[in-house]
Each structure stands twice: as C-alpha cells, then as structure tokens.
Amino acid sequence: MDTDDNARVRSPDDLNPPGGAHAGAAAVRPSDAAPASAPGTADTAMPVSPYGGKPGGGLQFPPYYRPTPSVRSRINYFPGSEVLGENEMRISFVGSCPFPPRRDQAGTCIMVELGNGDRFFFDFGPGCVKNILAMGVPVPEINDIFITHLHVDHYHDLSYLLPFSAWAGRWKQPLRVTGPSGRTADLGTRAMVAGMKQMLKWHLEAFDACPIGDGYEIEVNEFDWKDENGVCYDKNGVTIRHWRRSHAKDGASAYRLDWNGLSFVWTGDGRPDELTAKYAQGADVFVTETQPDLARLNLYKYGLPEFLYNYTVDIHHTPTYAAGYLMKQVNPRCAMVTHIAFDNDTLNETSADIRAYWDGLFLYGAPDVVVVNVTSDAIWHREAALPGFAGQSLPKPTLLFGDPLPATGQGVVPQPRLPREQQQEQLTRDLEIDPHKYYPPDVYREPLTKLPDPEEVDLLEMARVMGIDLSKLKK
C-alpha cells in the first residue's frame, strides 16, 4: 500500500471481510456482517469484530473506515486545503460541550458541508463562531442554522452573529433560522428570535450607522414540534426532517439530513426514544448527545450531590448505556456522541458503557473541530488543525454585491440607515480629541465620518489586491 500521506486508498482486497461477503464496503453494517466464531467455550468467549476482522485491523473498524477521495492529509484537516468531492459530505464539530464551556470545547454546533456547495449548521452554541471562522467560513456565508431546542447553550451565538455578519457584508440576504414551535406561541423559535432582536436593539441601532443593507432580516422557519418526521427543508436535492424529543419540556426536536444517498442525524438533547430509533434508522452518521452515569464521581470531583446530577440526566438526557442501546437500534455506518464533557478520566467508562450494546464503528464528536468525511464507500475521522489567529475569509463577491455582479465592475455599498448624527448628541462628539493631536503629520488623514452616496467598490481592483482570478470575477 502506498504510504504517501497524500495518496488515496483504493479499496485494497485486504480491507474486505473474509469471504468477500459484500460487493461494496458501504453495504457492511454490524448487523449485516457475519463475524467469525469466537474461540473457546461460552465462559471463555472472546470479543470479535462485527465486520469480520483481520490481524492489525482492530475490533471496531469496518472495511470502509479509510480516507475519502478529497482527503489530502490523513492525520489532520487543514481548512481551505481540500475541495470536497461532488458526492461527499463533511461533518465538523465546531462546538461540542454542554455546560460549562471549556477552552477546547465551545457550545454545541455541528457544521455539515455537502459536495453540491451547500452548508448547514445544527445548533449554534456559545463560542462556536470562533471555530467556524477558523475553519475558513466567511462571515456572511454562515447561514442555514437549525436549532434543536431553545436551551441557550444551543443557540446563543445567534445574537453574536446577527449584527456582526450584517456589518461584515451579509447585506443582501436574510439570516435563515429553522427551529421548533413551543406549546404556546411565546415558547417557539419565532418568539425567541423576536426577543433576541429586542435584546439587541441598542446594538442593532448603533450598527445602523454602518453599511448594513438588509443584513438584520431573519427568515424564521418554525415547524410544529409535534409533527412526526416532518420536512423542514427541501431544496437543491437536500431534505431535512425532524421529530420530537423528550427533553423535560415540549419543543425539542431531532434532525435528519438526506442528500445524494448519504444521511446525517443529530438528535439534539433528550431521553432515548422510539421515534429516534425509527426515523434515524440506517443513517450513515448518527450523532447523539450523552451523559455518563457517574454521579458518584461528580460528587468526588465537584461536590455535586448525586441526586441533582441523576435527576438532571433522568429528565433531560441520554445516559451512556442508553446511547449504546440506541445505536444498536439505529444501526448506522458510524455512531458518534457529542455535547459531552471530554474528560480523559471518564472517556474509558463512556466507551465501555456504549460498548455494552454497540460494537460497530464508534467515534467521539469532541473535543472541538473533529472532522468526519463521508462518501458511499468510505468514512474518515480527523481533527482540524486551526490557526492560532483566524481572520475573516473573503466571502463570494456575488454575496456582497449581487448575482450577477454589476456589469460596471463597481459594487455599491449600502448607505447607513441611521447615521450617528441622528443617534448621538453633538456635545458628545464635541468632546472627542482633535485627531491632529495624536496623528503624526506625515500620516494624518481626514476622518471619514460620512460615506459618499453612492459608495462604490472597484471589484476588479479588490480582486487584484486579494490575488483573485480576475476572469472569474468578471463573470
């Protein structure tokens, strides 16, 4: 086998299970394979691979656990270095923690990118935006956000994203948010968004002194939380369905995305349930939240009373034993857990609990920026190597200035809707220090306090400075 890190694995025969029991690796699931008989008696039976293992292959890795065609580095994902295959899905855990957040774990958020160019975000927990930007996603292109429920650890960075993405160039399209209704209108996603905009009123008006355009518009798609397996998105060959989850309060949902023969499920938070076992059946990648059944250790470590931990888990969450049981019912090609404190001292126990029921491919969607590439015949799991400093990536010019781009080559910037002269007393501005006092004379520039109308951007010059192919920009 070629050992070059950039070479592609081409399904060698030694990756297939004994006897060639299947035509393609994608067909193999734990329940499908016929593992070899374990040696010894029932009292001394040894574990075996559900896929029909071979020496050096481990007990859980299927023949399709190998790099997908787009993978350049098999060890790490370097944002911006790989073009996703046209029949490929990439799942990135850009947030993986419940509470409290950690330095290496932001609030839960899963980014799903498809080979057709579509991108989706499932939940949008606090701190996820910094990881999304580090993954090379331009600010105005962070959109199509699907919220499982309205606990703040699953949507809080919406309030961070809205005003700054409008300022950063999301001038011509709404922020698209999908989520469940509640038992009453004031408990649904639409009401949450309205309340968030009220909370942001000072911020939004202050930023209205900048070019904002239509950037504050939010397109809310609120679906009925009681609708079983209802469709909440159907566009460009992508279908996303939802169903209710038991999470202490009505109005929590799970999602399943299907595209091009590939499928991804995110359960969101909730108790193990029959609907998830039914509607997540046979997913390529099945992701559930889980909490370890370790109340005694939490008492020792944090002084948290056992009853408080157990009570919280037993009305809200999926214990690790139940996660494994649910995986067995769903029988995915790959089962994962996220929304979990990634503690080295308890990971072995979490794995052991899940392995009590699930013996197929199991991976952790934590800590942050775990990346999983998926095709019909391969699944590969890495961590992203993120830069210590991540600035904004340049968004598509068509997103900023319209599609097609202006024939004149001049992009028009929106005018401020509420200039500072309408928001601020003249006395406050009079108290500003004269710039001549702090600017060296040879670099002094006159402060720009009012934009020309129209304010235009020379797109070709911008492309030249940024090193963009001018011929592509002209199209």
Side-chain angles (χ1 to χ4, degrees), residues 228-267:
E228 276 193 24
N229 208 31
V231 175
C232 58
Y233 186 94
D234 190 1
K235 188 185 302 181
N236 203 21
V238 181
T239 302
I240 300 178
R241 297 179 177 272
H242 62 90
W243 57 91
R244 72 169 77 190
R245 292 276 280 152
S246 174
H247 190 49
K249 184 178 183 64
D250 285 336
S253 296
Y255 291 106
R256 174 175 179 142
L257 181 153
D258 285 277
W259 166 76
N260 201 23
L262 298 176
S263 54
F264 157 82
V265 170
W266 165 227
T267 65

mmCIF file of all heavy atoms in Angstrom, residues 228-267:
data_model
loop_
_atom_site.group_PDB
_atom_site.id
_atom_site.type_symbol
_atom_site.label_atom_id
_atom_site.label_comp_id
_atom_site.label_asym_id
_atom_site.label_seq_id
_atom_site.Cartn_x
_atom_site.Cartn_y
_atom_site.Cartn_z
ATOM 1 N N GLU A 228 -44.434 14.491 13.296
ATOM 2 C CA GLU A 228 -43.522 13.346 13.251
ATOM 3 C C GLU A 228 -42.882 13.214 11.876
ATOM 4 O O GLU A 228 -43.571 13.074 10.864
ATOM 5 C CB GLU A 228 -44.271 12.049 13.578
ATOM 6 C CG GLU A 228 -44.424 11.778 15.054
ATOM 7 C CD GLU A 228 -44.876 10.354 15.309
ATOM 8 O OE1 GLU A 228 -44.648 9.486 14.450
ATOM 9 O OE2 GLU A 228 -45.472 10.118 16.371
ATOM 10 N N ASN A 229 -41.553 13.273 11.859
ATOM 11 C CA ASN A 229 -40.786 13.087 10.627
ATOM 12 C C ASN A 229 -41.185 14.096 9.558
ATOM 13 O O ASN A 229 -41.151 13.812 8.362
ATOM 14 C CB ASN A 229 -40.949 11.667 10.083
ATOM 15 C CG ASN A 229 -39.732 11.222 9.274
ATOM 16 O OD1 ASN A 229 -38.609 11.643 9.536
ATOM 17 N ND2 ASN A 229 -39.969 10.370 8.288
ATOM 18 N N GLY A 230 -41.568 15.298 9.990
ATOM 19 C CA GLY A 230 -41.967 16.339 9.054
ATOM 20 C C GLY A 230 -40.773 16.916 8.317
ATOM 21 O O GLY A 230 -39.642 16.904 8.803
ATOM 22 N N VAL A 231 -41.016 17.427 7.125
ATOM 23 C CA VAL A 231 -39.966 18.031 6.313
ATOM 24 C C VAL A 231 -39.879 19.528 6.636
ATOM 25 O O VAL A 231 -40.867 20.250 6.527
ATOM 26 C CB VAL A 231 -40.250 17.836 4.810
ATOM 27 C CG1 VAL A 231 -39.206 18.570 3.969
ATOM 28 C CG2 VAL A 231 -40.267 16.348 4.452
ATOM 29 N N CYS A 232 -38.700 19.983 7.027
ATOM 30 C CA CYS A 232 -38.499 21.404 7.312
ATOM 31 C C CYS A 232 -37.540 22.060 6.331
ATOM 32 O O CYS A 232 -37.313 23.271 6.399
ATOM 33 C CB CYS A 232 -38.019 21.616 8.751
ATOM 34 S SG CYS A 232 -36.490 20.759 9.174
ATOM 35 N N TYR A 233 -36.982 21.268 5.414
ATOM 36 C CA TYR A 233 -36.111 21.815 4.374
ATOM 37 C C TYR A 233 -36.118 20.844 3.208
ATOM 38 O O TYR A 233 -35.944 19.633 3.393
ATOM 39 C CB TYR A 233 -34.680 21.991 4.895
ATOM 40 C CG TYR A 233 -33.737 22.676 3.926
ATOM 41 C CD1 TYR A 233 -33.526 24.055 3.991
ATOM 42 C CD2 TYR A 233 -33.058 21.957 2.949
ATOM 43 C CE1 TYR A 233 -32.657 24.695 3.112
ATOM 44 C CE2 TYR A 233 -32.188 22.583 2.068
ATOM 45 C CZ TYR A 233 -31.991 23.951 2.155
ATOM 46 O OH TYR A 233 -31.138 24.577 1.285
ATOM 47 N N ASP A 234 -36.312 21.367 2.002
ATOM 48 C CA ASP A 234 -36.316 20.528 0.794
ATOM 49 C C ASP A 234 -35.888 21.399 -0.377
ATOM 50 O O ASP A 234 -36.698 22.106 -0.970
ATOM 51 C CB ASP A 234 -37.718 19.942 0.560
ATOM 52 C CG ASP A 234 -37.725 18.882 -0.543
ATOM 53 O OD1 ASP A 234 -36.651 18.594 -1.092
ATOM 54 O OD2 ASP A 234 -38.812 18.370 -0.852
ATOM 55 N N LYS A 235 -34.597 21.375 -0.667
ATOM 56 C CA LYS A 235 -34.069 22.264 -1.697
ATOM 57 C C LYS A 235 -32.747 21.701 -2.213
ATOM 58 O O LYS A 235 -31.960 21.132 -1.440
ATOM 59 C CB LYS A 235 -33.852 23.661 -1.102
ATOM 60 C CG LYS A 235 -33.486 24.753 -2.107
ATOM 61 C CD LYS A 235 -33.171 26.074 -1.405
ATOM 62 C CE LYS A 235 -34.323 26.568 -0.548
ATOM 63 N NZ LYS A 235 -34.006 27.879 0.110
ATOM 64 N N ASN A 236 -32.504 21.854 -3.501
ATOM 65 C CA ASN A 236 -31.210 21.509 -4.093
ATOM 66 C C ASN A 236 -30.825 20.052 -3.829
ATOM 67 O O ASN A 236 -29.650 19.734 -3.650
ATOM 68 C CB ASN A 236 -30.123 22.449 -3.556
ATOM 69 C CG ASN A 236 -28.930 22.536 -4.491
ATOM 70 O OD1 ASN A 236 -29.030 22.231 -5.678
ATOM 71 N ND2 ASN A 236 -27.789 22.962 -3.966
ATOM 72 N N GLY A 237 -31.832 19.184 -3.766
ATOM 73 C CA GLY A 237 -31.569 17.766 -3.531
ATOM 74 C C GLY A 237 -31.364 17.398 -2.080
ATOM 75 O O GLY A 237 -31.094 16.231 -1.765
ATOM 76 N N VAL A 238 -31.494 18.369 -1.173
ATOM 77 C CA VAL A 238 -31.300 18.136 0.259
ATOM 78 C C VAL A 238 -32.658 18.127 0.954
ATOM 79 O O VAL A 238 -33.459 19.040 0.772
ATOM 80 C CB VAL A 238 -30.414 19.229 0.890
ATOM 81 C CG1 VAL A 238 -30.204 18.963 2.386
ATOM 82 C CG2 VAL A 238 -29.081 19.328 0.160
ATOM 83 N N THR A 239 -32.906 17.095 1.753
ATOM 84 C CA THR A 239 -34.128 17.022 2.558
ATOM 85 C C THR A 239 -33.741 16.913 4.023
ATOM 86 O O THR A 239 -32.891 16.092 4.391
ATOM 87 C CB THR A 239 -34.988 15.808 2.169
ATOM 88 O OG1 THR A 239 -35.316 15.891 0.775
ATOM 89 C CG2 THR A 239 -36.275 15.773 2.982
ATOM 90 N N ILE A 240 -34.347 17.761 4.861
ATOM 91 C CA ILE A 240 -34.113 17.696 6.304
ATOM 92 C C ILE A 240 -35.454 17.475 6.986
ATOM 93 O O ILE A 240 -36.411 18.214 6.749
ATOM 94 C CB ILE A 240 -33.441 18.982 6.822
ATOM 95 C CG1 ILE A 240 -32.086 19.188 6.118
ATOM 96 C CG2 ILE A 240 -33.242 18.912 8.339
ATOM 97 C CD1 ILE A 240 -31.362 20.454 6.520
ATOM 98 N N ARG A 241 -35.511 16.442 7.819
ATOM 99 C CA ARG A 241 -36.725 16.083 8.549
ATOM 100 C C ARG A 241 -36.502 16.255 10.047
ATOM 101 O O ARG A 241 -35.356 16.360 10.503
ATOM 102 C CB ARG A 241 -37.131 14.636 8.231
ATOM 103 C CG ARG A 241 -37.485 14.421 6.757
ATOM 104 C CD ARG A 241 -37.859 12.956 6.481
ATOM 105 N NE ARG A 241 -38.261 12.772 5.101
ATOM 106 C CZ ARG A 241 -39.491 12.918 4.652
ATOM 107 N NH1 ARG A 241 -40.465 13.256 5.509
ATOM 108 N NH2 ARG A 241 -39.784 12.752 3.378
ATOM 109 N N HIS A 242 -37.589 16.240 10.798
ATOM 110 C CA HIS A 242 -37.495 16.457 12.239
ATOM 111 C C HIS A 242 -38.532 15.599 12.959
ATOM 112 O O HIS A 242 -39.528 15.155 12.366
ATOM 113 C CB HIS A 242 -37.737 17.933 12.566
ATOM 114 C CG HIS A 242 -39.103 18.409 12.160
ATOM 115 N ND1 HIS A 242 -40.196 18.342 12.992
ATOM 116 C CD2 HIS A 242 -39.559 18.942 10.991
ATOM 117 C CE1 HIS A 242 -41.261 18.812 12.366
ATOM 118 N NE2 HIS A 242 -40.903 19.185 11.147
ATOM 119 N N TRP A 243 -38.282 15.361 14.233
ATOM 120 C CA TRP A 243 -39.253 14.684 15.096
ATOM 121 C C TRP A 243 -39.012 15.112 16.539
ATOM 122 O O TRP A 243 -37.951 15.610 16.892
ATOM 123 C CB TRP A 243 -39.170 13.160 14.963
ATOM 124 C CG TRP A 243 -37.812 12.576 15.250
ATOM 125 C CD1 TRP A 243 -37.341 12.122 16.461
ATOM 126 C CD2 TRP A 243 -36.741 12.365 14.311
ATOM 127 N NE1 TRP A 243 -36.053 11.649 16.332
ATOM 128 C CE2 TRP A 243 -35.665 11.786 15.019
ATOM 129 C CE3 TRP A 243 -36.596 12.604 12.934
ATOM 130 C CZ2 TRP A 243 -34.461 11.450 14.397
ATOM 131 C CZ3 TRP A 243 -35.400 12.274 12.328
ATOM 132 C CH2 TRP A 243 -34.350 11.703 13.057
ATOM 133 N N ARG A 244 -40.014 14.930 17.366
ATOM 134 C CA ARG A 244 -39.943 15.410 18.745
ATOM 135 C C ARG A 244 -38.969 14.587 19.582
ATOM 136 O O ARG A 244 -38.730 13.409 19.320
ATOM 137 C CB ARG A 244 -41.327 15.388 19.401
ATOM 138 C CG ARG A 244 -41.834 13.993 19.718
ATOM 139 C CD ARG A 244 -43.068 14.024 20.600
ATOM 140 N NE ARG A 244 -44.282 14.376 19.870
ATOM 141 C CZ ARG A 244 -45.435 14.652 20.469
ATOM 142 N NH1 ARG A 244 -45.534 14.635 21.795
ATOM 143 N NH2 ARG A 244 -46.498 14.938 19.759
ATOM 144 N N ARG A 245 -38.444 15.241 20.604
ATOM 145 C CA ARG A 245 -37.569 14.591 21.580
ATOM 146 C C ARG A 245 -38.082 14.912 22.979
ATOM 147 O O ARG A 245 -38.669 15.969 23.222
ATOM 148 C CB ARG A 245 -36.139 15.094 21.428
ATOM 149 C CG ARG A 245 -35.461 14.668 20.140
ATOM 150 C CD ARG A 245 -34.854 13.289 20.273
ATOM 151 N NE ARG A 245 -33.586 13.370 20.967
ATOM 152 C CZ ARG A 245 -33.056 12.375 21.699
ATOM 153 N NH1 ARG A 245 -33.711 11.259 21.876
ATOM 154 N NH2 ARG A 245 -31.897 12.528 22.280
ATOM 155 N N SER A 246 -37.829 13.985 23.917
ATOM 156 C CA SER A 246 -38.234 14.177 25.306
ATOM 157 C C SER A 246 -37.082 14.838 26.064
ATOM 158 O O SER A 246 -36.080 14.191 26.375
ATOM 159 C CB SER A 246 -38.591 12.829 25.949
ATOM 160 O OG SER A 246 -38.850 12.990 27.324
ATOM 161 N N HIS A 247 -37.245 16.147 26.346
ATOM 162 C CA HIS A 247 -36.171 16.907 26.977
ATOM 163 C C HIS A 247 -36.746 17.829 28.061
ATOM 164 O O HIS A 247 -36.526 19.048 28.058
ATOM 165 C CB HIS A 247 -35.416 17.700 25.911
ATOM 166 C CG HIS A 247 -34.141 18.329 26.391
ATOM 167 N ND1 HIS A 247 -33.168 17.652 27.103
ATOM 168 C CD2 HIS A 247 -33.667 19.597 26.219
ATOM 169 C CE1 HIS A 247 -32.162 18.466 27.373
ATOM 170 N NE2 HIS A 247 -32.438 19.659 26.855
ATOM 171 N N ALA A 248 -37.529 17.239 28.941
ATOM 172 C CA ALA A 248 -38.113 17.910 30.111
ATOM 173 C C ALA A 248 -39.226 18.896 29.749
ATOM 174 O O ALA A 248 -40.143 19.106 30.543
ATOM 175 C CB ALA A 248 -37.048 18.611 30.960
ATOM 176 N N LYS A 249 -39.152 19.501 28.573
ATOM 177 C CA LYS A 249 -40.153 20.484 28.159
ATOM 178 C C LYS A 249 -40.489 20.244 26.695
ATOM 179 O O LYS A 249 -39.603 19.951 25.886
ATOM 180 C CB LYS A 249 -39.608 21.899 28.350
ATOM 181 C CG LYS A 249 -40.599 23.029 28.046
ATOM 182 C CD LYS A 249 -39.955 24.383 28.331
ATOM 183 C CE LYS A 249 -40.941 25.520 28.112
ATOM 184 N NZ LYS A 249 -42.087 25.468 29.049
ATOM 185 N N ASP A 250 -41.753 20.368 26.325
ATOM 186 C CA ASP A 250 -42.148 20.210 24.935
ATOM 187 C C ASP A 250 -41.486 21.270 24.073
ATOM 188 O O ASP A 250 -41.340 22.426 24.473
ATOM 189 C CB ASP A 250 -43.673 20.318 24.789
ATOM 190 C CG ASP A 250 -44.394 19.071 25.287
ATOM 191 O OD1 ASP A 250 -43.759 17.995 25.307
ATOM 192 O OD2 ASP A 250 -45.580 19.179 25.642
ATOM 193 N N GLY A 251 -41.099 20.865 22.870
ATOM 194 C CA GLY A 251 -40.491 21.801 21.940
ATOM 195 C C GLY A 251 -39.044 21.490 21.621
ATOM 196 O O GLY A 251 -38.319 22.367 21.141
ATOM 197 N N ALA A 252 -38.600 20.250 21.863
ATOM 198 C CA ALA A 252 -37.252 19.819 21.488
ATOM 199 C C ALA A 252 -37.368 18.852 20.315
ATOM 200 O O ALA A 252 -38.309 18.057 20.248
ATOM 201 C CB ALA A 252 -36.541 19.147 22.658
ATOM 202 N N SER A 253 -36.413 18.916 19.386
ATOM 203 C CA SER A 253 -36.501 18.130 18.159
ATOM 204 C C SER A 253 -35.154 17.553 17.781
ATOM 205 O O SER A 253 -34.103 18.032 18.210
ATOM 206 C CB SER A 253 -37.008 19.003 17.002
ATOM 207 O OG SER A 253 -38.320 19.457 17.232
ATOM 208 N N ALA A 254 -35.217 16.508 16.953
ATOM 209 C CA ALA A 254 -34.044 15.927 16.304
ATOM 210 C C ALA A 254 -34.133 16.221 14.810
ATOM 211 O O ALA A 254 -35.203 16.566 14.293
ATOM 212 C CB ALA A 254 -33.991 14.425 16.559
ATOM 213 N N TYR A 255 -33.009 16.059 14.107
ATOM 214 C CA TYR A 255 -32.973 16.310 12.664
ATOM 215 C C TYR A 255 -32.291 15.155 11.934
ATOM 216 O O TYR A 255 -31.350 14.540 12.443
ATOM 217 C CB TYR A 255 -32.190 17.580 12.343
ATOM 218 C CG TYR A 255 -32.838 18.862 12.778
ATOM 219 C CD1 TYR A 255 -32.354 19.564 13.885
ATOM 220 C CD2 TYR A 255 -33.924 19.397 12.087
ATOM 221 C CE1 TYR A 255 -32.923 20.757 14.284
ATOM 222 C CE2 TYR A 255 -34.516 20.589 12.479
ATOM 223 C CZ TYR A 255 -34.013 21.260 13.566
ATOM 224 O OH TYR A 255 -34.589 22.442 13.961
ATOM 225 N N ARG A 256 -32.770 14.920 10.713
ATOM 226 C CA ARG A 256 -32.092 14.009 9.796
ATOM 227 C C ARG A 256 -31.951 14.701 8.439
ATOM 228 O O ARG A 256 -32.927 15.192 7.881
ATOM 229 C CB ARG A 256 -32.869 12.709 9.618
ATOM 230 C CG ARG A 256 -32.249 11.789 8.543
ATOM 231 C CD ARG A 256 -32.920 10.460 8.443
ATOM 232 N NE ARG A 256 -32.316 9.648 7.397
ATOM 233 C CZ ARG A 256 -32.117 8.335 7.469
ATOM 234 N NH1 ARG A 256 -32.525 7.677 8.554
ATOM 235 N NH2 ARG A 256 -31.564 7.676 6.474
ATOM 236 N N LEU A 257 -30.709 14.754 7.941
ATOM 237 C CA LEU A 257 -30.424 15.314 6.627
ATOM 238 C C LEU A 257 -30.133 14.173 5.658
ATOM 239 O O LEU A 257 -29.296 13.304 5.946
ATOM 240 C CB LEU A 257 -29.230 16.267 6.715
ATOM 241 C CG LEU A 257 -28.773 16.986 5.438
ATOM 242 C CD1 LEU A 257 -28.092 18.309 5.787
ATOM 243 C CD2 LEU A 257 -27.808 16.141 4.582
ATOM 244 N N ASP A 258 -30.808 14.180 4.517
ATOM 245 C CA ASP A 258 -30.557 13.202 3.450
ATOM 246 C C ASP A 258 -30.194 13.940 2.175
ATOM 247 O O ASP A 258 -30.872 14.901 1.773
ATOM 248 C CB ASP A 258 -31.803 12.344 3.208
ATOM 249 C CG ASP A 258 -32.026 11.309 4.294
ATOM 250 O OD1 ASP A 258 -31.394 10.242 4.221
ATOM 251 O OD2 ASP A 258 -32.822 11.579 5.213
ATOM 252 N N TRP A 259 -29.128 13.488 1.540
ATOM 253 C CA TRP A 259 -28.676 14.088 0.281
ATOM 254 C C TRP A 259 -27.847 13.066 -0.491
ATOM 255 O O TRP A 259 -26.932 12.452 0.065
ATOM 256 C CB TRP A 259 -27.822 15.333 0.567
ATOM 257 C CG TRP A 259 -27.051 15.820 -0.627
ATOM 258 C CD1 TRP A 259 -27.524 16.502 -1.709
ATOM 259 C CD2 TRP A 259 -25.646 15.611 -0.874
ATOM 260 N NE1 TRP A 259 -26.520 16.742 -2.605
ATOM 261 C CE2 TRP A 259 -25.355 16.217 -2.121
ATOM 262 C CE3 TRP A 259 -24.622 14.987 -0.166
ATOM 263 C CZ2 TRP A 259 -24.065 16.194 -2.666
ATOM 264 C CZ3 TRP A 259 -23.348 14.969 -0.704
ATOM 265 C CH2 TRP A 259 -23.080 15.582 -1.942
ATOM 266 N N ASN A 260 -28.205 12.869 -1.732
ATOM 267 C CA ASN A 260 -27.366 12.100 -2.653
ATOM 268 C C ASN A 260 -27.020 10.715 -2.115
ATOM 269 O O ASN A 260 -25.907 10.222 -2.297
ATOM 270 C CB ASN A 260 -26.077 12.891 -2.937
ATOM 271 C CG ASN A 260 -25.398 12.448 -4.218
ATOM 272 O OD1 ASN A 260 -26.021 11.883 -5.105
ATOM 273 N ND2 ASN A 260 -24.101 12.700 -4.316
ATOM 274 N N GLY A 261 -27.970 10.094 -1.409
ATOM 275 C CA GLY A 261 -27.735 8.761 -0.857
ATOM 276 C C GLY A 261 -26.982 8.738 0.452
ATOM 277 O O GLY A 261 -26.723 7.656 0.991
ATOM 278 N N LEU A 262 -26.614 9.910 0.990
ATOM 279 C CA LEU A 262 -25.933 9.992 2.284
ATOM 280 C C LEU A 262 -26.872 10.611 3.309
ATOM 281 O O LEU A 262 -27.751 11.398 2.972
ATOM 282 C CB LEU A 262 -24.666 10.851 2.168
ATOM 283 C CG LEU A 262 -23.584 10.354 1.214
ATOM 284 C CD1 LEU A 262 -22.435 11.358 1.148
ATOM 285 C CD2 LEU A 262 -23.067 8.983 1.632
ATOM 286 N N SER A 263 -26.664 10.256 4.572
ATOM 287 C CA SER A 263 -27.557 10.762 5.615
ATOM 288 C C SER A 263 -26.790 11.055 6.893
ATOM 289 O O SER A 263 -25.825 10.377 7.233
ATOM 290 C CB SER A 263 -28.678 9.763 5.897
ATOM 291 O OG SER A 263 -28.154 8.477 6.188
ATOM 292 N N PHE A 264 -27.274 12.088 7.596
ATOM 293 C CA PHE A 264 -26.694 12.526 8.867
ATOM 294 C C PHE A 264 -27.839 12.786 9.830
ATOM 295 O O PHE A 264 -28.860 13.381 9.457
ATOM 296 C CB PHE A 264 -25.883 13.812 8.654
ATOM 297 C CG PHE A 264 -25.702 14.656 9.881
ATOM 298 C CD1 PHE A 264 -24.714 14.355 10.811
ATOM 299 C CD2 PHE A 264 -26.527 15.755 10.118
ATOM 300 C CE1 PHE A 264 -24.552 15.134 11.949
ATOM 301 C CE2 PHE A 264 -26.360 16.539 11.247
ATOM 302 C CZ PHE A 264 -25.369 16.221 12.163
ATOM 303 N N VAL A 265 -27.686 12.331 11.074
ATOM 304 C CA VAL A 265 -28.695 12.554 12.114
ATOM 305 C C VAL A 265 -28.043 13.210 13.319
ATOM 306 O O VAL A 265 -26.977 12.782 13.775
ATOM 307 C CB VAL A 265 -29.362 11.235 12.550
ATOM 308 C CG1 VAL A 265 -30.234 11.443 13.788
ATOM 309 C CG2 VAL A 265 -30.198 10.654 11.410
ATOM 310 N N TRP A 266 -28.692 14.266 13.816
ATOM 311 C CA TRP A 266 -28.314 14.877 15.095
ATOM 312 C C TRP A 266 -29.552 14.860 15.971
ATOM 313 O O TRP A 266 -30.562 15.478 15.652
ATOM 314 C CB TRP A 266 -27.783 16.281 14.889
ATOM 315 C CG TRP A 266 -27.681 17.152 16.117
ATOM 316 C CD1 TRP A 266 -28.104 18.433 16.247
ATOM 317 C CD2 TRP A 266 -27.106 16.816 17.395
ATOM 318 N NE1 TRP A 266 -27.832 18.925 17.502
ATOM 319 C CE2 TRP A 266 -27.219 17.934 18.242
ATOM 320 C CE3 TRP A 266 -26.511 15.651 17.915
ATOM 321 C CZ2 TRP A 266 -26.767 17.954 19.559
ATOM 322 C CZ3 TRP A 266 -26.067 15.667 19.232
ATOM 323 C CH2 TRP A 266 -26.186 16.789 20.032
ATOM 324 N N THR A 267 -29.463 14.166 17.100
ATOM 325 C CA THR A 267 -30.629 14.001 17.969
ATOM 326 C C THR A 267 -30.936 15.253 18.778
ATOM 327 O O THR A 267 -32.059 15.411 19.264
ATOM 328 C CB THR A 267 -30.404 12.854 18.959
ATOM 329 O OG1 THR A 267 -29.327 13.199 19.858
ATOM 330 C CG2 THR A 267 -30.073 11.557 18.237
#
